[in-house]
Amino acid sequence: MTPRLLRTAVATALALGALGLTQPARATSSDGVHTVRVPDGDPHERSLAPRTSEPFSLIGITWDDPDAVLDGTAQVRTRSRESGAWSAWRRLETDVRAPEAGPDRDRPGVRGSTQPLWTGPSDGFQVSVSGARLPAGLRVELVDPEAGSDAVHTAVVEPDDVGPEIAGPAAGALSAERPVVTSRSAWGADESLVKDPPTYTGDTKAMFVHHTAGTNDYTCSQSASIVRGVFLYHVQSNGWNDIGYHFLVDKCGTVFEGRAGGIDKPVLGAHAYGFNTATSSVSVLGDYSAAATNAAVRESVAKVAAWKLGLYGIDPTGTVVLTSGADNGKYKLGQKATFHRISGHRDGYPTECPGQNLYDDLPEIRTLAANAGKPAAPAADPLGPSAENEDEDEDVLGR
């Protein structure tokens, strides 16, 4: 380094220090995800001071061992790129687990992680992680869903492209109308990042309802960016082959296609550790631990579940016995358990997901789903024209 460059670097470091900011150390970037390593040290507490970063809109924390659990808390603060204001400390949910089987489990580079948090456009962050014994290889994942948008590939695997040996089932007696779904190409999935073809399981027997956690402070015009951010986080940060959820729903009720392979096919997901086989999933954007859902969310979740389960003639108000594919902290490997056909993530895994309010809405959602699968009742004939309109109605009929 020349003396002039050295003086410039020192001046920059001093200026950042005066602002209470540091530049991220040992950072790497790839396909819209910028990572910053959290230095090893204290096995119980680690942190990164406030620092300027590359632009991002979604943040999370990952670690080396996908089987390791962060038994503690992970908190972040972020700085708005628009206002320059720092947020309050926000806690990340730590309930993400790699699937118990399939290519998402066996791929090299699969990592353990927190749930990601949508922050909106940001350019600075601070991190604090504490616990009984923290996993090795902690790193911060900064996701910019707008990065490289001009290079997005949209060669989507459409349902009709799937071979007849895994064709979708014939519509059952309880089939409901297919909901309007925003396709992967419409929300901007970069299909070049999905390296392996989808894996298919047996018939879909149940639907797990999730929330993405994080924040409800987003506009529905940002929803496609949030879905794209979750996709990048699951693929680039978790190391999975594709986004884990089959469907996503925003707070305006818009339904998004999740994992590729055909929304009418039994695609193996990465959403419910121990119960990914023969199940589907729908995740609502936002945190419903404190916030209430609205009618648009409940109706869209019900429509998705009614249609998906209806493909197999399944009553969405019924129950089913599933067998756990892993020791997941709630069920042992091989243990059988009875689930509602529309269940919450917490029913199969020790988590608060999908938040208490959305979980409390599941009985109503099951009822809405059952009604969605029934033919509409014919409109009742009017009792007859009113006296004041009788002459007018007779005139119309006589024409």
Side-chain angles (χ1 to χ4, degrees):
M1 180 179 289
T2 67
R4 180 177 179 181
L5 289 176
L6 179 59
R7 288 195 299 272
T8 301
V10 171
T12 301
L14 290 173
L16 288 170
L19 294 173
L21 300 173
T22 59
Q23 290 186 330
R26 285 174 282 187
T28 59
S29 182
S30 174
D31 296 307
V33 180
H34 190 78
T35 65
V36 182
R37 184 173 174 271
V38 180
D40 294 330
D42 189 329
H44 308 297
E45 187 170 356
R46 294 174 208 162
S47 62
L48 286 174
R51 62 192 57 223
T52 294
S53 71
E54 296 292 328
F56 67 94
S57 293
L58 183 142
I59 188 171
I61 296 174
T62 66
W63 48 90
D64 290 344
D65 184 356
D67 292 320
V69 177
L70 198 163
D71 184 14
T73 61
Q75 299 182 89
V76 297
R77 293 175 66 224
T78 58
R79 187 179 64 187
S80 169
R81 199 157 76 231
E82 297 171 351
S83 69
W86 284 87
S87 73
W89 282 102
R90 288 181 282 186
R91 185 169 175 171
L92 302 176
E93 292 195 12
T94 59
D95 60 3
V96 181
R97 293 292 296 274
E100 66 275 12
D104 296 293
R105 178 74 181 184
D106 303 328
R107 289 167 59 86
V110 176
R111 298 175 61 80
S113 76
T114 68
Q115 291 280 12
L117 169 73
W118 176 259
T119 64
S122 305
D123 62 4
F125 71 94
Q126 182 179 3
V127 168
S128 176
V129 187
S130 61
R133 185 168 186 82
L134 298 177
L138 290 174
R139 76 185 192 198
V140 181
E141 310 283 338
L142 306 172
V143 181
D144 181 6
E146 308 310 321
S149 58
D150 293 339
V152 168
H153 301 269
T154 56
V156 183
V157 179
E158 298 290 354
D160 292 341
D161 295 334
V162 181
E165 69 279 6
I166 46 176
L174 296 173
S175 61
E177 182 180 354
R178 173 174 166 163
V180 176
V181 178
T182 301
S183 68
R184 289 168 64 91
S185 60
W187 57 256
D190 184 350
E191 302 295 354
S192 70
L193 299 178
V194 182
K195 304 302 183 184
D196 297 318
T199 300
Y200 296 90
T201 71
D203 291 357
T204 299
K205 298 178 180 179
M207 175 75 69
F208 281 105
V209 178
H210 303 254
H211 69 174
T212 59
T215 181
N216 301 72
D217 186 19
Y218 64 89
T219 65
C220 290
S221 63
Q222 294 176 310
S223 297
S225 291
I226 297 174
V227 173
R228 197 160 56 247
V230 174
F231 165 79
L232 290 171
Y233 188 81
H234 283 180
V235 175
Q236 299 292 86
S237 301
N238 290 113
W240 299 347
N241 187 52
D242 198 351
I243 192 169
Y245 306 119
H246 296 89
F247 301 91
L248 299 97
V249 172
D250 72 8
K251 62 185 180 183
C252 292
T254 304
V255 180
F256 296 85
E257 177 185 11
R259 180 158 285 215
I263 61 175
D264 60 341
K265 304 296 188 295
V267 179
L268 178 66
H271 61 95
Y273 182 60
F275 295 99
N276 284 299
T277 300
T279 65
S280 188
S281 56
V282 55
S283 188
V284 182
L285 305 185
D287 187 338
Y288 293 94
S289 299
T293 66
N294 58 39
V297 166
R298 297 190 293 272
E299 290 169 2
S300 289
V301 171
K303 288 178 181 178
V304 168
W307 175 72
K308 186 70 176 182
L309 296 174
L311 293 173
Y312 301 89
I314 292 173
D315 179 358
T317 64
T319 60
V320 63
V321 175
L322 301 176
T323 302
S324 177
D327 292 334
N328 68 3
K330 185 163 187 172
Y331 295 101
K332 298 292 185 182
L333 173 64
Q335 183 178 349
K336 296 184 181 299
T338 300
F339 292 88
H340 289 286
R341 293 287 189 171
I342 302 176
S343 284
H345 186 194
R346 65 172 63 180
D347 291 323
Y349 185 78
T351 174
E352 296 180 359
C353 181
Q356 190 61 51
N357 288 313
L358 181 52
Y359 187 77
D360 290 343
D361 287 334
L362 292 183
E364 178 187 349
I365 289 171
R366 294 182 195 113
T367 299
L368 290 170
N371 291 334
K374 295 177 181 177
D381 291 333
L383 296 177
S386 63
E388 57 185 329
N389 294 329
E390 185 171 358
D391 293 340
E392 178 183 345
D393 290 342
E394 286 180 351
D395 183 56
V396 171
L397 290 171
R399 289 177 186 173

